Amino acid sequence: MTKTASKSKVARSSAAPDVPATSTKSEPLVGIIMGSSSDWETMEHAVKTLTDLGVPHETRVVSAHRTPDLLFEYASTAEQRGLEVLIAGAGGAAHLPGMTASKTVLPVLGVPVESKALKGLDSLLSIAQMPGGIPVGTLAIGKAGAINSALLAAAILGAKHPAIREALRKFREEQTERVLANPDPSLAQASTFRLTPPESPKNEANEPAPAVANSAKRKPA
C-alpha cells in the first residue's frame, strides 16, 4: 500500500456522529484516538487542552476490538503521516493504547476512561501493566488524565517545537498566578455564604401580612 493510499484510507475513517473525525488547520502533530464514542466525554478534555495550547491534532474513534484492522493501519501509518505523539483513551479491558504502541515507535499516552463496573481501575491496570518492551505512558483515570495527556504530549513536542514549549510554559505560569491570586478560599465563599436566612418581610405596622384565603366575607346561608 502506497503512502498516499494509506493516508487517504485513514482519513476516510469516520467517527461516531457525536465525535467528529476532524483535524486542526495545520498538519496534526498529535493523534487522539478512543475506543468508543462514549469515551468522548473524557477525551474532549484532551482536545480542549491541546486547542488552548495551539497544538495541531486530529481525533478519531478507533476500536481495538471492533475495528482492529483500522487500528493497525492508523498506528502503523501515524509516523509517515506526520504525527509525533499518540493519545489513546479506553475503558474496560482498555487494550487500545497497548495495541497502538505495538504498531508504532511514536510515544503513546494512555488515558484510562472510567468504567461502570470498576470505576476505571480495570482500565488503569490494563494500560499500566504493559509487558517489558512495549511502553505506554499511563495517566490518571478520567478528566484529569485526559488533561494531563495533552500537557505531557505538549512537553514531548516542546523538545522539538519551541512555540509549543513556550505555550506550555505560559500555561504553567498562568496556572501558578491563579493560585497565588486566591490564597484564601474562604474569602471567595464569604459573599455567597449566610449563617442565618434573611428575615421575612413585614408591613409598616410591624405586623404579619393579612391572610388572603379568608379575606372575602361569606354571605349568610
Side-chain angles (χ1 to χ4, degrees), residues 18-192:
D18 55 342
V19 186
T22 58
S23 60
T24 47
K25 293 181 180 180
S26 304
E27 287 297 317
L29 297 176
V30 179
I32 302 175
I33 58 177
M34 61 205 79
S36 170
S37 60
S38 62
D39 298 335
W40 175 245
E41 184 178 352
T42 297
M43 300 309 296
E44 66 177 324
H45 298 289
V47 172
K48 182 181 184 304
T49 303
L50 289 176
T51 300
D52 291 344
L53 293 172
V55 178
H57 56 276
E58 65 180 21
T59 308
R60 301 282 188 275
V61 170
V62 181
S63 172
H65 304 132
R66 293 179 292 275
T67 60
D69 293 338
L70 175 61
L71 165 60
F72 283 3
E73 181 185 4
Y74 184 91
S76 62
T77 62
E79 184 179 4
Q80 69 188 51
R81 290 186 291 109
L83 296 176
E84 297 184 18
V85 181
L86 298 179
I87 297 175
H95 292 147
L96 181 63
M99 294 303 295
T100 300
S102 73
K103 299 296 291 184
T104 182
V105 296
L106 296 178
V108 176
L109 308 178
V111 179
V113 175
E114 184 174 338
S115 57
K116 292 182 179 179
L118 297 175
K119 302 300 181 183
L121 181 60
D122 48 349
S123 314
L124 173 63
L125 295 177
S126 296
I127 298 173
Q129 290 300 111
M130 287 296 295
I134 305 293
V136 172
T138 309
L139 284 303
I141 297 170
K143 177 181 176 180
I147 292 172
N148 282 343
S149 72
L151 296 175
L152 185 53
I156 294 170
L157 294 170
K160 178 181 176 182
H161 303 276
I164 295 177
R165 183 176 62 244
E166 292 310 309
L168 180 60
R169 192 192 312 278
K170 182 179 179 182
F171 170 88
R172 297 282 291 270
E173 290 173 349
E174 291 177 349
Q175 181 175 249
T176 299
E177 290 171 0
R178 286 195 299 272
V179 174
L180 295 177
N182 298 281
D184 188 350
S186 67
L187 297 179
Q189 298 290 333
S191 60
T192 58

